[in-house]
Amino acid sequence: MKWSGGAVETLPHIQRRQITYARSTTIQAQPESIDAGITHMRDKVMPALEAIDGCVGLSLLVDRTSGRCIATSSWESEEAMRASAESLRPIRDRAAELFGGGGAQIEEWEIGAMHREHRAGEGACVRATWVKVDPDQLDGGIEFYNATILPALEELDGFCSASLLVDRASGRGVAAATFDNAEAMEQNKDQLDRIKAMGSREANAEVLDQCDFELALAHLRVPEMA
């Protein structure tokens, strides 16, 4: 969606929103173990997930400096996501072990927005921003993201895709913007800071955290939504 003379128009390439879900697993890895962890996620975890009914993909973000790694699986329904929890526990524990990390932090989300300008290639990077709003204002926040934030991101050189994950109970969310490479993300730093400030101000959102990541795996098959 986009603003046009004060009205909201639907972007032709973004389909009507349908609800899908995601589970993120955050591991504090040892930097020297990250490559082994990526290989395990690609060769072992991803095929295991693809064999589970209702799973529609996997992504992996890594920050080699801090060791922070976030694997996100996407699901056709909340029921499919919840039904997979026990069967994935040993797979998750093994992945955390190979990353050299301790216990994993698990979070479950509703996917509030997903848009791809073009497919992310090798070397793509992601800026993730964690925010919090009043839970009663969450739907308004999702609409604002689709109507205002996405069109602003689309104007940036090297932009690949963007998503918004939300937790309705807490009002927390995480917005992720993907760029072709680290250089493109750095070149857009000032614009991204302005977009973040605008979103915080206009949507009454508290910014909790921000981190830049390497997009190590990009196999989410979530449909476009708005």
Side-chain angles (χ1 to χ4, degrees), residues 25-195:
T25 300
T26 301
I27 299 169
Q28 190 60 42
Q30 297 298 319
E32 64 272 15
S33 299
I34 286 178
D35 284 328
I38 292 172
T39 299
H40 177 74
M41 294 291 293
R42 183 190 64 230
D43 296 345
K44 301 295 184 182
V45 176
M46 193 160 60
L49 279 169
E50 290 175 341
I52 298 175
D53 286 343
C55 183
V56 288
L58 175 72
S59 71
L60 176 64
L61 307 180
V62 303
D63 177 6
R64 292 180 182 273
T65 301
S66 70
R68 188 179 188 181
C69 299
I70 304 176
T72 301
S73 55
S74 53
W75 302 87
E76 291 177 348
S77 68
E78 188 174 18
E79 292 76 16
M81 180 175 67
R82 296 285 168 80
S84 71
E86 285 305 314
S87 62
L88 288 178
R89 188 185 304 276
I91 297 173
R92 181 173 63 239
D93 291 347
R94 176 58 175 159
E97 178 184 347
L98 286 174
F99 273 107
Q105 177 187 356
I106 312 301
E107 295 177 285
E108 293 182 342
W109 310 90
E110 175 186 320
I111 302 179
M114 174 68 69
H115 168 58
R116 298 178 185 86
E117 189 74 8
H118 60 265
R119 181 178 293 276
E122 186 175 352
C125 292
V126 176
R127 172 156 295 177
T129 304
W130 286 261
V131 298
K132 181 177 174 60
V133 300
D134 187 314
D136 292 338
Q137 303 299 315
L138 194 58
D139 283 324
I142 293 171
E143 291 178 6
F144 177 81
Y145 181 87
N146 284 317
T148 305
I149 300 299
L150 277 181
L153 290 172
E154 287 182 302
E155 296 297 320
L156 303 181
D157 290 340
F159 170 74
C160 294
S161 63
S163 64
L164 175 66
L165 310 183
V166 299
D167 174 12
R168 290 190 174 274
S170 68
R172 292 179 66 249
V174 55
T178 303
F179 292 86
D180 287 329
N181 47 52
E183 290 76 15
M185 194 159 63
E186 179 61 27
Q187 288 169 4
N188 288 305
K189 180 180 183 299
D190 291 344
Q191 294 95 319
L192 288 169
D193 287 344
R194 285 195 289 270
I195 292 169

Side-chain angles (χ1 to χ4, degrees), residues 2-9:
K2 64 179 180 180
W3 293 113
S4 178
V8 178
E9 299 179 2

